[in-house]
Amino acid sequence: DVAYDDERDLVAAAAVVLDAATLEVVAEATAVGHVSFPYVPGLLAFRELPTVLAALEALPVTPGLVVCDGYGLAHPRGFGLACHLGVVTGLPSIGVAKNPFTFTYEEPGPPRGEASPLLAADGSVVGRALRTQHGVKPVYVSVGHRVSLDNACAHTLALSPRYRIPETTRHADSLCRRALREAGAQR
């Protein structure tokens, strides 16, 4: 996950590795840097990738799957952060976003595990709206690199036993926000 301090032109990224069976934290790392690319809708990967890569490289273990708080193929250009990160690192990657972007979908049924296809403007399937908890808003899952959509959804459900968003994202979110606060206090 990534957090920004626009006043100080800082960006913080966090990478968290969880044990797949227990969801306990195995390793974590952060990186803080200056924003090197302006905000341009649809080009967020260029803004976030350098700091995210630094956080991943600081990990003492290599993750078996990278779960991005964002999109993979379900992106206006068909190549979001999860795709960029997967291709650059060679690691399997998926995008699990909290908000809908530039696609259409039918609301999935209320039970956990219900899903519906995310459709691009041309009608092609670019991901799934996936209900991770009964009756809560879905998340938006898309393939990044070296993972099928079925497996991306299965991983997302396994990583979301209690909350709407995956445990990886929950841990990384609080970690990058803390790193950003600490970096701001040092300046």
Side-chain angles (χ1 to χ4, degrees):
D1 199 13
V2 176
Y4 292 94
D5 181 337
D6 292 326
E7 289 179 12
R8 294 182 181 88
D9 196 36
L10 292 176
V11 58
V16 177
V17 178
L18 302 182
D19 178 280
T22 65
L23 300 183
E24 295 295 320
V25 175
V26 172
E28 57 185 36
T30 60
V32 178
H34 286 282
V35 177
S36 60
F37 193 85
Y39 174 73
V40 178
L43 297 180
L44 201 57
F46 293 100
R47 186 173 166 97
E48 296 185 351
L49 195 62
T51 312
V52 171
L53 284 172
L56 278 173
E57 289 168 3
L59 286 170
V61 297
T62 302
L65 173 69
V66 177
V67 180
C68 296
D69 181 15
Y71 288 98
L73 295 178
H75 183 275
R77 291 177 171 83
F79 205 83
L81 178 63
C83 296
H84 283 265
L85 200 53
V87 169
V88 168
T89 64
L91 296 170
S93 62
I94 64 174
V96 181
K98 296 182 287 277
N99 298 305
F101 199 26
T102 60
F103 43 77
T104 60
Y105 67 97
E106 297 288 326
E107 192 71 23
R112 172 179 159 83
E114 289 289 309
S116 65
L118 302 179
L119 303 174
D122 66 1
S124 63
V125 175
V126 293
R128 287 192 191 132
L130 176 66
R131 189 93 56 198
T132 57
Q133 299 300 314
H134 183 84
V136 301
K137 263 178 53 173
V139 294
Y140 307 92
V141 180
S142 58
V143 169
H145 185 63
R146 296 179 49 205
V147 179
S148 71
L149 184 54
D150 285 343
N151 281 339
C153 289
H155 285 300
T156 301
L157 285 171
L159 290 168
S160 307
R162 291 179 298 277
Y163 300 100
R164 176 177 173 246
I165 62 173
E167 289 299 304
T168 46
T169 302
R170 286 174 29 83
H171 287 285
D173 178 73
S174 63
L175 188 59
C176 69
R177 290 179 192 282
R178 185 174 73 220
L180 193 59
R181 280 191 308 273
E182 291 170 0
Q186 294 173 357
R187 296 189 180 269

